[in-house]
Amino acid sequence: MSFLKEVAQTVYQKHKTNFKNIYVVLPSRRACMYFKQYLGACLEEEVAFSPVILSMEGFARKISRLQKADNVTLIFELFKVYRQFDKEITLDKFTPLGTSLLRDFNMIDNNLSAKQTQEMFEYLQDTKAIERWAEELREDPEELMKRKSQALTNFFSFWENLADTYYAFRSRLIEKHIAYGGLSFREAFNHLMEAVKELGVEQVVFAGFSQVSTVEHDLMQVLTEHGMAEHYFDSDQYYVNHTEHEAGYFFRKFRQTFAKGHQDLSRNYYQQEEPCEIEVIKVHSDVAQAKVVGQLLSEQLQDTSAWEHFTKTVNHTAVLLPDESMLTPLLYSLPVLEGDRRLSTYTNVTMGVAFQNTPFFDLIVSVFKLQEGLRKNDDGVPCVYFKEVLNIVRHPYFQHSVVSKEYREIAEGIQKEIISEGLILIPLDRILSWGDRMPIYRAIFKAWRSNYKTALQQLFALTEALVHLFDREDDPLQIMQDSIDHQRIEYELLLKFYTVLNRLQDILGLQKENIPIRTFRQLLMELLKGIQIPFTGQPIAPLQVMGMLESRALDFEHVMILSCNEGFLPVKKVAESIIPYDLRIQFGMPTYKHNDIAFAYTFYRLLHRAKKITLLYVDAAASKDGGEMSRFLVQLKEELLKQEGIRFTLSERILQLDMPDLSARVPQQVIKDEVLLTKIKEKLAKGISPSSLNRYIKNPLAFLEDKILEVREGEELEESLDQRTFGTLLHESLEQLLLPKIGQWIDEDFLMNHCTAEEVSKQVEVVLSITKSKDVATKNMRYGKNYILKKVAERLTLNFLEKQRQEAPFFLVAQESFHGHTMKIPLQDSSVIPFRVSGMADRIDIVGNTIRIVDYKTGAYHKENLKANNYQELLFHPEKEKIVQLLSYKYILIQNILNGELKDYAFPAGFDLQTCKVEAGFYFFRKLSDGFVQYQIADEPTDREGFVNYAEKFFTHLIQHMMREDMAISEEQAFV
């Protein structure tokens, strides 16, 4: 028999002749609902007055006669009081502090008597005075006065005025007949006997309580002393008598006060005859827990007799979610049963969906970010950052199937225009012109101009526009049932939001303060974060989905608890008080340990009457918070289950999804047909760069898509310089700086006098002005990441020129010049095709008797990747791609020399191209100290003819592989 059913029967037998003046107080409204069900079953067909059945919070409100106020009202009332002691503080700065003060005042009233409260504030003030005295002792008084800041003075003033603020705030609320939770309880206790007499209360039944605040404990104690209280506890002697067990902490306190010798505190549920199976399941992802629950429910309810028992049982199964974010995955995982068995009919979700976890909330946050980020461009026109616009037009409300085609087309058109034109800061007027036919665009993109009243009106307009949007479905007959349900949720969200806006408008309308937008946002979010969107259903159903603490005083045959990981069971520590931890300990105020106690009792109480317990936890390596298995599970296995005569049996299993066998995965392949081979031949004849050859070696399929078929990914707008643009900035700046010296010697004097920091900065700006027409990211270089990157480019350019000054003189032959050479490649079918290797040389210069082809690199490199034993290594080791680039450049330059293709370039007098050395190498800007870096291939010939033949063998090997008809193009490395 469940605990509440047992209490209901006892109360019925004891008080059935006088229910009218009996109050039954339970831990939660959910427990009240179950108690009414059980009590109604006792009455059968009798007609009788019901006792007053309340939660503890409801009981306190009834006794105190104070209405609980919302947080926004309380913050404004507290601000008015606080301003009496600090005239300088603004509402904007006070709002975060006010939220903390409300939390601490609530804790004080819940746990300290009037005398203790006074002592605590005195102690706190004395402590801060000592800190101030210690601060003053550290320094010379004159120096201290010079150094003392207003912030420090305000800090100590805050602690001095804290007590006065508290007392004045309480008095103000009582005058207005409103309260926060703690004040309601404190006033209920202060006027307890007077109130119960006026209400005609004869007896108060307290049932199912464990963790209580001090004021709740004292309230129960007073009623007990006056013979007006009955107590029913749901505990087990295992943890009550175990002095170190946290689940029994409060029962041991009760036993010393109003529950001395109470029989309920010596009950033994854990050693009853009825067995209970405990199954511990380890899974490897959060969502997998929900899938397991769905599978278990499906298996459990397959049998007809099991289904009939399920439908007729009030408290059959509970699925408890310590991590409330698991609600949505769980609902999607509930099974669809065969035949006419509709599990949804027998399911109740007590938690509701938190407003702040909905797409609508995300849209509101995006709108605030957009409005708060408004700035003016160089022409003084109000503009908005492009990412904020994209966040909104990509929101599901602008893209989802329930949105009309017209809405989607406008949203997609805006995205394309922003990306194609490279708009970083977008004038508001232009956005409004894009969506001038749609009210939702006017509601979102009209400037608030730091006026909260305008913001309120625009948010009202947004709500109305969304209602209009959801009514514009093009073909209602095509809407699936889940889409209808989705819209119902959206309409519920809109209704809640509209109600909150009205409430906030009423509150703010009474204020004389100027409300900044940031404060308006804080207040709105404070109201929204407490909103839950409830699910419709039978309140008392066989399957209950609820939060962990909602299960207080309730019993179920089968209990499933998800997320049995540290951080969720119990929840992790959160420091949310301005009152120091040691002071809370000294005065008996709650800390994180009390939260652990609440979860411990809730967990162990669920074991009392359950026939089966299923505990799921996520492997610590996969858990989103990295929490290991809950300590409660460890205690269960290592302590409770080792007790003699225990009714529990334990089984454990690990559910792990089979990992894909990557070795068995068949890579994507493309068979070469005549059309494809023809396209490849055409590309080879037209010209292939060394980087394209490397692309083929690394991933032939990527080479095919990018270079042959020219498949391009969708454009994305980048506001910061990407690696390519950054490299271009360096290359083109150097080109402009050295441009006057093409065909001339560059000596140390030129580099020192003409390549100064001022000139470098000027040339970078020139390059940027040219690049702006081609690259979006360079449109704003005055601040942010782009400004930093510009300065980095200037510094790297200066460092490189300094290195060049040390290596001068050198003769500059050419810059950014395009070169190539065509050779004949014999194929396996004895045919011959032309192959042209070509590329852009950053620089060709002459040092001594050596002509060099130079490439600038802004990235990093590893020296071992510039060494190889033979050219075959280049085919089998894609990481040696830089060697392929330099070998190709060197080959092209030698062939250009041999074929007389450099005759249009100027060379130093007496320089012989036919006998000079030819080198190819890099300058790495991140490692300029390494100088001119060349590659090394151990068996590469040193003479020109031998090198040309050697390089052509490499190209032939590579192109023959590319043209083999019997070899498909794969996404795997070409040579393996």
Side-chain angles (χ1 to χ4, degrees):
M1 184 184 298
S2 70
F3 169 72
L4 287 179
K5 185 174 182 180
E6 183 180 344
V7 173
Q9 291 180 357
T10 302
V11 170
Y12 170 74
Q13 292 296 331
K14 194 170 182 179
H15 300 286
K16 59 183 177 182
T17 59
N18 187 27
F19 272 158
K20 185 178 180 181
N21 298 317
I22 302 299
Y23 277 57
V24 178
V25 181
L26 299 166
S28 68
R29 293 169 60 189
R30 178 68 46 187
C32 293
M33 195 174 299
Y34 272 84
F35 185 85
K36 290 175 182 177
Q37 176 83 3
Y38 293 131
L39 187 61
C42 294
L43 292 170
E44 296 181 344
E45 296 183 0
E46 296 180 41
V47 177
F49 283 104
S50 169
V52 179
I53 303 171
L54 297 166
S55 66
M56 180 63 95
E57 185 177 344
F59 180 64
R61 283 203 300 270
K62 195 170 186 70
I63 296 296
S64 68
R65 293 184 173 85
L66 297 175
Q67 293 298 316
K68 187 175 181 180
D70 59 67
N71 276 1
V72 174
T73 299
L74 292 172
I75 285 174
F76 274 108
E77 294 297 332
L78 182 55
F79 175 67
K80 291 172 183 175
V81 171
Y82 195 85
R83 280 290 295 270
Q84 298 173 15
F85 306 101
D86 184 352
K87 305 292 185 184
E88 302 299 322
I89 196 164
T90 61
L91 182 61
D92 186 33
K93 293 181 179 179
F94 176 78
T95 302
L97 173 63
T99 303
S100 297
L101 288 178
L102 282 177
R103 192 164 45 239
D104 282 342
F105 290 173
N106 186 67
M107 179 173 63
I108 290 169
D109 280 337
N110 267 321
N111 295 281
L112 300 184
S113 65
K115 182 179 179 182
Q116 289 174 318
T117 300
Q118 182 179 353
E119 291 174 352
M120 188 275 296
F121 278 124
E122 289 175 355
Y123 186 94
L124 187 59
Q125 187 171 340
D126 290 345
T127 301
K128 296 303 173 182
I130 291 172
E131 289 180 9
R132 184 172 190 169
W133 176 64
E135 179 76 22
E136 292 172 351
L137 282 179
R138 291 193 187 102
E139 298 185 33
D140 180 78
E142 292 184 5
E143 290 297 321
L144 180 65
M145 291 306 295
K146 293 179 182 177
R147 191 190 59 79
K148 185 182 291 185
S149 66
Q150 185 62 39
L152 192 62
T153 302
N154 292 342
F155 173 76
F156 289 116
S157 296
F158 166 77
W159 294 106
E160 291 170 0
N161 297 326
L162 187 59
D164 292 336
T165 302
Y166 165 77
Y167 288 117
F169 179 53
R170 291 176 84 255
S171 299
R172 184 182 183 90
L173 294 185
I174 292 171
E175 286 177 8
K176 292 177 173 286
H177 302 288
I178 57 176
Y180 48 87
L183 178 57
S184 181
F185 273 103
R186 182 55 60 186
E187 284 299 293
F189 175 75
N190 291 341
H191 304 94
L192 178 60
M193 297 315 298
E194 174 188 340
V196 296
K197 184 178 179 180
E198 290 181 10
L199 293 169
V201 179
E202 294 183 4
Q203 199 75 8
V204 182
V205 176
F206 294 99
F209 287 95
S210 56
Q211 182 186 13
V212 293
S213 66
T214 302
V215 69
E216 291 171 333
H217 179 281
D218 293 346
L219 186 148
M220 296 162 80
Q221 173 78 28
V222 169
L223 289 173
T224 303
E225 290 172 354
H226 284 78
M228 299 179 65
E230 294 177 23
H231 301 281
Y232 296 91
F233 301 108
D234 192 12
S235 64
D236 189 278
Q237 64 179 7
Y238 166 74
Y239 52 77
V240 173
N241 295 335
H242 192 318
T243 56
E244 298 300 322
H245 204 296
E246 51 196 349
Y249 174 80
F250 281 98
F251 293 113
R252 292 189 289 272
K253 289 182 67 175
F254 296 163
R255 197 161 54 185
Q256 296 173 4
T257 53
F258 58 77
K260 291 179 181 178
H262 200 293
Q263 62 179 8
D264 285 354
L265 299 180
S266 58
R267 292 197 178 192
N268 188 346
Y269 295 104
Y270 293 165
Q271 293 181 324
Q272 292 178 348
E273 293 183 1
E274 186 174 15
C276 174
E277 176 190 349
I278 299 178
E279 184 177 25
V280 177
I281 302 175
K282 176 182 177 180
V283 297
H284 288 265
S285 75
D286 293 302
V287 175
Q289 299 177 96
K291 299 297 183 184
V292 171
V293 169
Q295 182 63 31
L296 292 176
L297 287 172
S298 180
E299 294 171 358
Q300 177 181 309
L301 301 175
Q302 272 186 347
D303 184 71
T304 302
S305 59
W307 173 255
E308 290 179 356
H309 173 68
F310 171 77
T311 58
K312 295 176 182 179
T313 306
V314 172
N315 53 346
H316 190 279
T317 302
V319 181
L320 306 182
L321 306 178
D323 176 11
E324 295 189 1
S325 68
M326 287 298 299
L327 177 60
T328 300
L330 177 68
L331 294 180
Y332 278 105
S333 300
L334 292 178
V336 177
L337 303 177
E338 296 179 358
D340 58 352
R341 301 177 185 178
R342 292 179 59 84
L343 187 60
S344 59
T345 307
Y346 299 94
T347 301
N348 182 53
V349 182
T350 69
M351 302 165 62
V353 176
F355 192 98
Q356 59 186 353
N357 292 335
T358 64
F360 186 29
F361 183 81
D362 294 337
L363 178 62
I364 296 167
V365 171
S366 295
V367 171
F368 270 98
K369 285 184 177 179
L370 182 144
Q371 292 288 345
E372 291 172 351
L374 283 179
R375 66 189 79 170
K376 293 184 178 180
N377 62 14
D378 294 340
D379 299 325
V381 177
C383 295
V384 66
Y385 186 42
F386 81 98
K387 284 189 176 180
E388 306 302 348
V389 178
L390 292 180
N391 283 342
I392 289 172
V393 297
R394 288 173 177 172
H395 188 275
Y397 286 1
F398 290 78
Q399 303 290 334
H400 197 268
S401 61
V402 299
V403 179
S404 71
K405 182 180 179 181
E406 187 178 10
Y407 271 81
R408 291 197 300 274
E409 287 179 348
I410 291 175
E412 290 166 3
I414 290 173
Q415 294 181 63
K416 290 178 181 177
E417 197 161 339
I418 290 174
I419 292 171
S420 63
E421 295 189 26
L423 303 174
I424 299 296
L425 292 177
I426 309 169
L428 278 179
D429 291 343
R430 184 167 184 181
I431 302 173
L432 291 171
S433 69
W434 285 334
D436 59 350
R437 291 168 292 165
M438 302 297 174
I440 194 169
Y441 284 91
R442 292 194 297 273
I444 291 175
F445 294 106
K446 180 181 176 181
W448 293 352
R449 303 188 187 283
S450 301
N451 187 323
Y452 87 87
K453 293 181 180 179
T454 303
L456 260 174
Q457 294 308 311
Q458 291 303 106
L459 291 174
F460 275 123
L462 173 61
T463 309
E464 294 172 7
L466 286 172
V467 172
H468 178 66
L469 184 148
F470 292 131
D471 284 338
R472 286 177 58 95
E473 172 61 38
D474 290 338
D475 187 2
L477 296 177
Q478 298 299 316
I479 303 177
M480 300 297 289
Q481 182 63 41
D482 58 346
S483 295
I484 295 173
D485 292 340
H486 175 75
Q487 287 196 62
R488 287 174 182 164
I489 293 175
E490 302 307 334
Y491 283 130
E492 184 71 21
L493 289 168
L494 292 172
L495 177 60
K496 293 285 187 183
F497 186 62
Y498 191 82
T499 304
V500 167
L501 289 179
N502 275 316
R503 175 63 182 147
L504 194 56
Q505 187 177 44
D506 292 342
I507 295 172
L508 297 181
L510 300 174
Q511 312 305 319
K512 298 179 181 179
E513 294 288 329
N514 179 37
I515 312 296
I517 289 296
R518 186 169 63 176
T519 304
F520 172 70
R521 175 183 182 175
Q522 290 172 335
L523 298 173
L524 179 60
M525 296 304 166
E526 186 71 28
L527 287 174
L528 292 178
K529 73 180 183 181
I531 292 178
Q532 298 279 332
I533 309 302
F535 288 89
T536 57
Q538 295 296 327
I540 299 180
L543 177 60
Q544 296 283 334
V545 179
M546 56 179 62
M548 191 70 184
L549 297 182
E550 287 181 296
S551 68
R552 288 174 296 178
L554 305 181
D555 294 292
F556 301 90
E557 290 185 10
H558 187 186
V559 176
M560 300 181 181
I561 307 178
L562 283 67
S563 306
C564 294
N565 291 77
E566 288 294 314
F568 293 116
L569 188 69
V571 295
K572 55 190 173 185
K573 305 175 187 176
V574 179
E576 293 184 334
S577 176
I578 62 172
I579 300 175
Y581 179 79
D582 57 345
L583 198 59
R584 282 182 280 152
I585 291 289
Q586 181 174 339
F587 283 89
M589 289 186 282
T591 64
Y592 69 88
K593 293 181 180 179
H594 289 74
N595 194 62
D596 291 354
I597 289 168
F599 274 88
Y601 170 71
T602 303
F603 177 81
Y604 279 94
R605 195 203 64 79
L606 289 165
L607 307 180
H608 288 180
R609 300 170 186 82
K611 296 178 182 178
K612 184 172 183 180
I613 305 285
T614 303
L615 307 171
L616 298 101
Y617 72 98
V618 182
D619 180 27
S623 175
K624 60 187 175 185
D625 281 346
E628 59 188 11
M629 180 174 64
S630 170
R631 72 190 78 165
F632 298 153
L633 272 62
V634 178
Q635 292 169 2
L636 197 69
K637 294 193 292 184
E638 300 300 325
E639 296 177 1
L640 178 59
L641 295 180
K642 293 184 178 180
Q643 301 294 311
E644 292 185 6
I646 216 76
R647 76 185 187 100
F648 305 110
T649 57
L650 176 69
S651 63
E652 296 184 73
R653 56 176 168 149
I654 299 174
L655 296 181
Q656 183 173 1
L657 294 174
D658 293 333
M659 299 300 292
D661 184 1
L662 297 179
S663 62
R665 176 177 173 270
V666 178
Q668 286 184 294
Q669 291 185 333
V670 175
I671 304 300
K672 297 173 187 171
D673 57 14
E674 284 299 322
V675 175
L676 186 56
L677 285 169
T678 300
K679 282 185 171 293
I680 295 174
K681 289 178 184 178
E682 291 174 354
K683 185 65 177 178
L684 292 176
K686 186 177 180 181
I688 292 284
S689 67
S691 62
S692 297
L693 295 177
N694 282 318
R695 189 73 175 272
Y696 178 80
I697 293 170
K698 186 178 296 184
N699 186 331
L701 187 60
F703 166 80
L704 175 67
E705 293 173 345
D706 185 28
K707 302 301 179 183
I708 307 300
L709 303 179
E710 298 183 348
V711 176
R712 299 287 184 261
E713 295 182 0
E715 284 187 289
E716 283 292 331
L717 181 60
E718 293 293 336
E719 59 176 320
S720 298
L721 289 176
D722 59 18
Q723 188 173 359
R724 175 187 59 81
T725 310
F726 182 75
T728 300
L729 185 60
L730 279 169
H731 283 64
E732 295 188 8
S733 297
L734 283 171
E735 180 188 5
Q736 295 300 318
L737 286 164
L738 301 181
L739 188 62
K741 300 296 285 184
I742 288 181
Q744 302 177 42
W745 285 98
I746 295 179
D747 56 19
E748 186 176 355
D749 288 342
F750 173 82
L751 293 169
M752 183 179 295
N753 298 323
H754 296 279
C755 298
T756 61
E758 183 180 352
E759 188 63 26
V760 167
S761 181
K762 178 182 175 181
Q763 290 301 332
V764 168
E765 290 293 343
V766 169
V767 172
L768 283 174
S769 66
I770 299 171
T771 311
K772 280 182 182 180
S773 61
K774 299 183 289 183
D775 194 280
V776 173
T778 58
K779 288 194 173 183
N780 196 335
M781 305 294 294
R782 292 182 302 170
Y783 52 82
K785 186 177 178 181
N786 283 348
Y787 177 79
I788 295 174
L789 289 174
K790 183 183 79 168
K791 289 300 180 182
V792 169
E794 292 177 7
R795 173 47 55 190
L796 289 176
T797 304
L798 274 173
N799 291 345
F800 175 71
L801 292 170
E802 174 61 27
K803 181 68 176 175
Q804 294 291 279
R805 190 171 66 83
Q806 296 170 12
E807 296 178 359
F810 58 88
F811 189 91
L812 185 60
V813 178
Q815 289 189 113
E816 303 296 333
S817 55
F818 195 81
H819 300 269
H821 177 73
T822 302
M823 69 188 80
K824 301 293 184 181
I825 303 293
L827 301 182
Q828 289 181 335
D829 62 358
S830 300
S831 64
V832 177
I833 63 170
F835 162 61
R836 181 172 181 80
V837 57
S838 57
M840 179 77 72
D842 290 339
R843 187 171 104 192
I844 298 175
D845 65 16
I846 293 172
V847 177
N849 191 40
T850 301
I851 186 170
R852 306 187 309 179
I853 187 165
V854 178
D855 195 68
Y856 304 139
K857 293 292 184 185
T858 57
Y861 83 104
H862 299 285
K863 292 182 179 180
E864 60 271 17
N865 290 336
L866 284 171
K867 297 178 181 179
N869 293 314
N870 49 59
Y871 76 76
Q872 287 88 347
E873 279 191 31
L874 310 185
L875 299 171
F876 289 90
H877 294 277
E879 67 274 10
K880 297 185 183 295
E881 59 185 352
K882 288 183 172 61
I883 299 181
V884 174
Q885 181 181 355
L886 293 180
L887 180 142
S888 301
Y889 282 165
K890 184 176 178 180
Y891 171 80
I892 292 170
L893 184 59
I894 289 176
Q895 288 287 24
N896 286 174
I897 292 172
L898 294 175
N899 296 326
E901 295 177 21
L902 300 180
K903 59 185 178 181
D904 293 333
Y905 293 92
F907 292 94
F911 186 79
D912 188 356
L913 280 173
Q914 304 305 316
T915 59
C916 69
K917 288 178 63 178
V918 179
E919 293 179 352
F922 299 112
Y923 278 108
F924 291 97
F925 282 75
R926 294 191 186 183
K927 200 73 173 174
L928 288 173
S929 58
D930 289 352
F932 183 66
V933 180
Q934 301 181 63
Y935 72 92
Q936 296 176 18
I937 300 180
D939 67 345
E940 179 183 286
T942 56
D943 63 291
R944 289 186 181 181
E945 183 178 355
F947 171 79
V948 167
N949 292 332
Y950 185 84
E952 289 182 348
K953 286 181 182 180
F954 167 75
F955 293 128
T956 300
H957 197 146
L958 180 56
I959 302 306
Q960 286 178 346
H961 185 280
M962 193 183 296
M963 293 299 300
R964 280 182 59 176
E965 296 182 27
D966 62 337
M967 187 172 290
I969 293 181
S970 169
E971 61 182 333
E972 292 187 326
Q973 187 177 321
F975 296 85
V976 291

